[in-house]
Amino acid sequence: MAEELVSVTIDGAPVSVPKGTTIIEAAKQAGILVPHYCYHPSLTSPAVCRMCLVEVEKAPKLMPACVTQVAEGQVVHVGSEKAKKAREGVLELLLINHPLDCPICDQAGECELQDYVFQEGRSGTRYAEYAKRYSPVEDFGPDILYVPNRCILCTRCVRFMEDVAEEPVLNVSERGDRAYIGISEDQRLDHAWAGNVVDLCPVGSLLSKDFLHKARAWELDKTASVCPGCTQGCNISIDTRDDVVVRLRPRPNLEVNRHFICDYGRMNYRWMNRGDRIEAPLVRDGGRHSATDWDTALDRLGQLVRGVSGPALVLASGRASTESLGLIRLMLGRLDVTGVIQVPLGDEAPLAGIPDLALRRERAPNLRGAELLGYRPDWSLVGRELSTAGLVIVLDPDLSDSDQAALAGAPGSLVVIGTVFPEALRNAELVLPMTNMAEENGTYVNRDGRIQRFNQAKSQPGMARPAWWIAGEVLAGPGPSPSAPSTAAEAFEMLGERWPAFAGLSHADLGYTGRILGQSADRASESQSADLGVM
């Protein structure tokens, strides 16, 4: 049944939206931003900040756009003199005691108070003769600091903890001009999703200790990516400064993670900046490894693949891309291949107020993609298959001491394709440097079967290359070949030739929010507010 549409006019722009839509959301569809502080699309709307007041024709007074629903034929003025005057008054009140902390505030450059004051605030203050109040910084939890001087009492943090996390440890204490955000006695802001209050804060009042004074907003390069922390596949932005990852932040995807990520995923980035990386291909020469060029290394890998007798064993990291996992299998196409995917396990931590959103027990972002490509999540197979494997390819898993010892004694030829060189694997015929997921383009398939793209956020160290490139060059044979994939998009298209789940798809089809594998084009274009089932 088709939704009933309502036609309204906002600042002269006609727009038709579903019945029940608020003015603030209708304005977005008309390309108009209504200034706001307390409103957030994933939280309840209390209409307390009064920043979103707009003029509605025939209404007796200005209306809050965050809670006022559109009506047929309604005419709304966001930029009228009355609405601008009201917003100017709100900003003046907020700035009476707000400190001039912009030069030292982590929020500077991303601050909604800065933006709106610059856009339509007063040119000066009428309270210059009054001293601003000062309150000391408070420690709210393991990663959260509260700076009450900067707080504008939008209450987003309180509503997130009450309505979404369902752990009401924050509150609005006192009344009137003395009000501040307080924390319940004998409690800490240590919830598994508590870091989202920093993202929700429109000013610099709630800060992350981890990111404190690391970088200014305008120094950061922001890249759309997918969280490598678990099988949920939350959409994130990787922020880098001078080719170093400094923070991960949630990126909206209403069908996967709405506007949130867990603290485990938020802090799971330091491995992206490791300094002990393999930077050149290494070939074993007697009892030592010597650095070489890619042509020599790829020729040697091709000889090993073509000359192996017996089955092959691939031990892969759960963070390996779909393209890399698939092309490794294609490279070994003539062999009997056992593929094993490493799946670290941890405690599951759901976000109570959002259905089907949780930090998942399986800490392997591409577990579903690996299974579709024939890999098995049974690490015990390693011990059983090593003794008969003629060729063992280690694709960047985190190896324990016992794993390394077993691989060091394996009778077959050993090839390491990884980011770091395990010290015990001195018997490896080849050690090839590969990029991590922050240094390449690729895809992950989450637990719901949604395939999503991640993009390169930083440059690769030295001569490191994606694993799909290495396998693609061997597949194409010695020397330059037009059949070798030169991009992740080309590598992805090769998967559809063997695995029907990926047939007919391209990177361009996935966009920035991904698609359910097997989903029709019509369903893929449906509203992002649809609920997904968990498999």
Side-chain angles (χ1 to χ4, degrees):
M1 182 177 178
E3 289 184 291
E4 181 181 350
L5 297 180
V6 175
S7 297
V8 297
T9 302
I10 303 176
D11 276 357
V15 61
S16 295
V17 296
K19 186 177 181 180
T21 303
T22 58
I23 291 176
I24 198 169
E25 289 296 330
K28 288 181 185 178
Q29 297 189 38
I32 298 167
L33 174 64
V34 179
H36 59 276
Y37 289 123
C38 68
Y39 175 76
H40 189 277
S42 285
L43 301 176
T44 54
S45 299
V48 296
C49 74
R50 315 311 286 178
M51 191 63 190
C52 68
L53 293 175
V54 295
E55 186 176 2
V56 179
E57 289 189 5
K58 299 182 181 178
K61 59 182 180 180
L62 297 176
M63 307 295 290
C66 66
V67 293
T68 304
Q69 296 182 0
V70 294
E72 181 64 37
Q74 194 176 59
V75 178
V76 179
H77 302 285
V78 177
S80 69
E81 283 302 316
K82 287 177 66 176
K84 285 184 175 181
K85 190 70 176 176
R87 293 197 292 271
E88 182 182 291
V90 171
L91 290 170
E92 183 178 23
L93 289 172
L94 292 178
L95 292 176
I96 291 174
N97 282 295
H98 195 87
L100 297 177
D101 278 352
C102 301
I104 62 166
C105 181
D106 278 348
Q107 194 80 1
E110 301 173 323
C111 177
E112 294 175 37
L113 188 59
Q114 279 183 332
D115 294 341
Y116 295 144
V117 169
F118 179 80
Q119 177 179 306
E120 51 194 14
R122 291 176 60 90
S123 58
T125 178
R126 292 185 286 176
Y127 295 86
E129 66 275 20
Y130 299 100
K132 294 182 184 288
R133 291 180 298 191
Y134 173 79
S135 300
V137 176
E138 297 182 38
D139 188 340
F140 270 10
D143 186 52
I144 310 296
L145 293 176
Y146 174 56
V147 186
N149 298 340
R150 303 172 187 168
C151 185
I152 62 171
L153 289 173
C154 68
T155 71
R156 286 185 186 181
C157 56
V158 177
R159 284 175 284 135
F160 173 80
M161 294 307 299
E162 285 187 355
D163 303 330
V164 182
E166 296 185 4
E167 188 171 319
V169 297
L170 299 180
N171 58 71
V172 179
S173 300
E174 292 289 351
R175 294 289 185 270
D177 65 345
R178 298 171 298 171
Y180 61 92
I181 301 300
I183 190 164
S184 299
E185 292 183 10
D186 303 322
Q187 287 188 305
R188 300 273 286 166
L189 193 54
D190 55 3
H191 188 272
W193 295 73
N196 289 287
V197 300
V198 176
D199 305 318
L200 291 170
C201 184
V203 294
S205 188
L206 289 166
L207 303 173
S208 166
K209 298 177 189 177
D210 179 71
F211 182 68
L212 193 65
H213 304 324
K214 273 188 179 179
R216 312 299 301 191
W218 51 87
E219 296 173 329
L220 298 176
D221 295 313
K222 304 173 190 295
T223 306
S225 190
V226 178
C227 179
C230 76
T231 56
Q232 181 69 35
C234 294
N235 288 207
I236 62 170
S237 171
I238 299 179
D239 291 359
T240 57
R241 179 190 183 190
D242 298 332
D243 243 15
V244 175
V245 178
V246 294
R247 69 176 175 183
L248 306 182
R249 304 185 79 188
R251 180 168 58 89
N253 187 333
L254 302 188
E255 293 184 345
V256 180
N257 60 299
R258 295 200 66 84
H259 299 83
F260 312 119
I261 59 171
C262 70
D263 288 5
Y264 175 84
R266 188 184 299 273
M267 298 298 176
N268 185 29
Y269 69 87
R270 288 176 177 80
W271 57 272
M272 301 177 187
N273 299 323
R274 288 188 66 161
D276 56 344
R277 297 286 295 277
I278 310 168
E279 295 194 0
L282 305 175
V283 178
R284 188 158 70 92
D285 181 13
R288 59 190 291 271
H289 287 89
S290 302
T292 187
D293 57 71
W294 271 114
D295 288 340
T296 303
L298 292 171
D299 182 59
R300 177 67 177 137
L301 179 58
Q303 292 175 24
L304 288 172
V305 171
R306 292 188 294 271
V308 68
S309 59
L313 175 64
V314 181
L315 311 181
S317 165
R319 293 196 291 247
S321 70
T322 311
E323 292 79 2
S324 293
L325 293 170
L327 262 68
I328 291 291
R329 290 296 300 263
L330 291 177
M331 180 183 73
L332 303 172
R334 72 173 188 85
L335 303 173
D336 179 16
V337 181
T338 299
V340 183
I341 188 80
Q342 187 179 50
V343 186
L345 300 177
D347 294 331
E348 188 148 319
L351 184 58
I354 308 293
D356 300 330
L357 178 56
L359 165 63
R360 301 298 176 180
R361 182 170 178 265
E362 301 84 4
R363 305 293 164 83
N366 205 22
L367 171 57
R368 182 69 186 278
E371 290 177 327
L372 289 170
L373 295 167
Y375 290 79
R376 297 165 65 182
D378 184 1
W379 202 248
S380 64
L381 286 172
V382 176
R384 299 201 294 269
E385 300 289 336
L386 267 179
S387 59
T388 59
L391 175 65
V392 180
I393 294 181
V394 178
L395 188 60
D396 206 38
D398 295 323
L399 298 174
S400 66
D401 291 342
S402 60
D403 292 333
Q404 293 186 42
L407 288 167
S413 299
L414 178 64
V415 175
V416 175
I417 304 176
T419 55
V420 295
F421 186 7
E423 286 296 321
L425 303 188
R426 292 296 172 182
N427 61 321
E429 296 290 332
L430 277 173
V431 180
L432 305 179
M434 68 173 278
T435 51
N436 64 39
M437 59 86 62
E439 299 159 353
E440 64 183 35
N441 298 315
T443 57
Y444 286 153
V445 183
N446 79 349
R447 67 195 309 271
D448 299 312
R450 175 176 292 273
I451 185 165
Q452 303 179 102
R453 291 171 54 193
F454 56 83
N455 298 296
Q456 183 177 353
K458 60 195 290 281
S459 60
Q460 66 270 27
M463 299 168 67
R465 295 292 185 270
W468 58 258
W469 179 87
I470 297 170
E473 290 291 322
V474 174
L475 267 171
S481 171
S483 65
S486 59
T487 66
E490 292 177 5
F492 181 74
E493 290 176 3
M494 294 175 66
L495 304 183
E497 299 171 8
R498 176 168 173 181
W499 292 281
F502 305 101
L505 278 178
S506 69
H507 274 198
D509 296 327
L510 305 182
Y512 282 96
T513 55
R515 278 184 58 175
I516 296 289
L517 289 172
Q519 188 183 67
S520 69
D522 290 338
R523 285 192 61 197
S525 62
E526 289 177 357
S527 168
Q528 281 201 13
S529 61
D531 291 330
L532 291 178
V534 177
M535 300 186 70

Short mmCIF file of all heavy atoms in Angstrom, two decimals, residues 85-105:
data_model
loop_
_atom_site.label_atom_id
_atom_site.label_comp_id
_atom_site.label_asym_id
_atom_site.label_seq_id
_atom_site.Cartn_x
_atom_site.Cartn_y
_atom_site.Cartn_z
N LYS A 85 15.19 36.11 14.01
CA LYS A 85 15.29 36.87 15.26
C LYS A 85 15.21 35.93 16.47
O LYS A 85 15.93 36.11 17.47
CB LYS A 85 14.16 37.91 15.32
CG LYS A 85 14.29 38.92 16.45
CD LYS A 85 15.44 39.86 16.23
CE LYS A 85 15.49 40.93 17.31
NZ LYS A 85 16.68 41.82 17.15
N ALA A 86 14.33 34.93 16.38
CA ALA A 86 14.20 33.97 17.47
C ALA A 86 15.49 33.17 17.65
O ALA A 86 15.96 32.96 18.77
CB ALA A 86 13.02 33.03 17.21
N ARG A 87 16.08 32.72 16.55
CA ARG A 87 17.32 31.95 16.64
C ARG A 87 18.46 32.81 17.15
O ARG A 87 19.32 32.34 17.90
CB ARG A 87 17.65 31.34 15.28
CG ARG A 87 16.66 30.27 14.84
CD ARG A 87 17.21 29.41 13.73
NE ARG A 87 17.37 30.14 12.48
CZ ARG A 87 16.44 30.25 11.54
NH1 ARG A 87 15.24 29.70 11.73
NH2 ARG A 87 16.68 30.91 10.44
N GLU A 88 18.48 34.06 16.76
CA GLU A 88 19.51 34.97 17.26
C GLU A 88 19.42 35.12 18.77
O GLU A 88 20.42 35.16 19.48
CB GLU A 88 19.37 36.33 16.58
CG GLU A 88 20.42 37.34 16.97
CD GLU A 88 20.19 38.69 16.31
OE1 GLU A 88 20.36 38.77 15.08
OE2 GLU A 88 19.82 39.65 17.01
N GLY A 89 18.19 35.19 19.29
CA GLY A 89 17.99 35.29 20.73
C GLY A 89 18.45 34.04 21.46
O GLY A 89 19.06 34.12 22.54
N VAL A 90 18.18 32.85 20.88
CA VAL A 90 18.62 31.60 21.49
C VAL A 90 20.15 31.56 21.55
O VAL A 90 20.75 31.21 22.58
CB VAL A 90 18.09 30.39 20.70
CG1 VAL A 90 18.73 29.10 21.19
CG2 VAL A 90 16.57 30.29 20.83
N LEU A 91 20.79 31.93 20.47
CA LEU A 91 22.24 31.92 20.43
C LEU A 91 22.85 32.90 21.43
O LEU A 91 23.86 32.61 22.07
CB LEU A 91 22.74 32.25 19.01
CG LEU A 91 22.48 31.17 17.95
CD1 LEU A 91 22.79 31.70 16.56
CD2 LEU A 91 23.31 29.93 18.24
N GLU A 92 22.22 34.05 21.59
CA GLU A 92 22.73 35.03 22.55
C GLU A 92 22.68 34.47 23.97
O GLU A 92 23.63 34.62 24.75
CB GLU A 92 21.94 36.32 22.46
CG GLU A 92 22.50 37.41 23.39
CD GLU A 92 21.74 38.72 23.28
OE1 GLU A 92 20.57 38.69 22.85
OE2 GLU A 92 22.31 39.76 23.64
N LEU A 93 21.60 33.80 24.30
CA LEU A 93 21.49 33.20 25.63
C LEU A 93 22.52 32.10 25.84
O LEU A 93 23.11 31.98 26.92
CB LEU A 93 20.07 32.64 25.83
CG LEU A 93 18.95 33.67 25.98
CD1 LEU A 93 17.59 32.98 25.97
CD2 LEU A 93 19.13 34.46 27.27
N LEU A 94 22.76 31.29 24.81
CA LEU A 94 23.73 30.21 24.94
C LEU A 94 25.15 30.74 25.13
O LEU A 94 25.98 30.09 25.78
CB LEU A 94 23.69 29.31 23.70
CG LEU A 94 22.42 28.47 23.49
CD1 LEU A 94 22.52 27.67 22.20
CD2 LEU A 94 22.19 27.53 24.67
N LEU A 95 25.43 31.91 24.60
CA LEU A 95 26.79 32.44 24.63
C LEU A 95 27.08 33.29 25.85
O LEU A 95 28.22 33.74 26.03
CB LEU A 95 27.06 33.26 23.36
CG LEU A 95 27.12 32.45 22.06
CD1 LEU A 95 27.29 33.39 20.87
CD2 LEU A 95 28.25 31.44 22.09
N ILE A 96 26.07 33.53 26.71
CA ILE A 96 26.31 34.38 27.88
C ILE A 96 27.45 33.82 28.72
O ILE A 96 28.35 34.54 29.16
CB ILE A 96 25.02 34.50 28.73
CG1 ILE A 96 23.97 35.33 27.99
CG2 ILE A 96 25.34 35.14 30.09
CD1 ILE A 96 22.63 35.36 28.70
N ASN A 97 27.44 32.49 28.95
CA ASN A 97 28.48 31.88 29.79
C ASN A 97 29.37 30.92 29.02
O ASN A 97 30.28 30.31 29.60
CB ASN A 97 27.85 31.15 30.98
CG ASN A 97 27.43 32.10 32.07
OD1 ASN A 97 28.27 32.76 32.69
ND2 ASN A 97 26.12 32.20 32.29
N HIS A 98 29.13 30.76 27.72
CA HIS A 98 29.95 29.84 26.95
C HIS A 98 31.36 30.40 26.82
O HIS A 98 31.54 31.54 26.40
CB HIS A 98 29.35 29.61 25.56
CG HIS A 98 29.92 28.42 24.85
ND1 HIS A 98 29.43 27.15 25.00
CD2 HIS A 98 30.98 28.31 24.01
CE1 HIS A 98 30.13 26.30 24.27
NE2 HIS A 98 31.09 26.99 23.66
N PRO A 99 32.40 29.63 27.19
CA PRO A 99 33.77 30.16 27.16
C PRO A 99 34.32 30.25 25.74
O PRO A 99 33.84 29.57 24.82
CB PRO A 99 34.55 29.11 27.97
CG PRO A 99 33.80 27.84 27.75
CD PRO A 99 32.35 28.23 27.65
N LEU A 100 35.31 31.08 25.57
CA LEU A 100 35.99 31.22 24.28
C LEU A 100 37.10 30.16 24.19
O LEU A 100 38.29 30.48 24.15
CB LEU A 100 36.55 32.63 24.12
CG LEU A 100 35.49 33.74 24.10
CD1 LEU A 100 36.16 35.09 24.00
CD2 LEU A 100 34.52 33.54 22.94
N ASP A 101 36.67 28.90 24.15
CA ASP A 101 37.61 27.78 24.17
C ASP A 101 37.95 27.26 22.78
O ASP A 101 38.66 26.26 22.65
CB ASP A 101 37.01 26.60 24.96
CG ASP A 101 37.19 26.76 26.46
OD1 ASP A 101 37.90 27.69 26.86
OD2 ASP A 101 36.62 25.95 27.21
N CYS A 102 37.44 27.91 21.74
CA CYS A 102 37.62 27.38 20.38
C CYS A 102 39.08 27.03 20.05
O CYS A 102 39.34 26.01 19.43
CB CYS A 102 37.06 28.35 19.35
SG CYS A 102 35.29 28.69 19.57
N PRO A 103 40.08 27.83 20.47
CA PRO A 103 41.47 27.49 20.12
C PRO A 103 41.96 26.18 20.73
O PRO A 103 42.92 25.59 20.23
CB PRO A 103 42.27 28.68 20.65
CG PRO A 103 41.30 29.81 20.68
CD PRO A 103 40.01 29.18 21.06
N ILE A 104 41.34 25.72 21.83
CA ILE A 104 41.79 24.49 22.47
C ILE A 104 40.73 23.39 22.47
O ILE A 104 40.96 22.31 23.00
CB ILE A 104 42.23 24.75 23.94
CG1 ILE A 104 41.05 25.27 24.77
CG2 ILE A 104 43.40 25.70 23.99
CD1 ILE A 104 41.30 25.24 26.26
N CYS A 105 39.59 23.64 21.88
CA CYS A 105 38.48 22.70 21.93
C CYS A 105 38.57 21.70 20.78
O CYS A 105 38.74 22.09 19.61
CB CYS A 105 37.15 23.45 21.87
SG CYS A 105 35.70 22.37 21.95
#
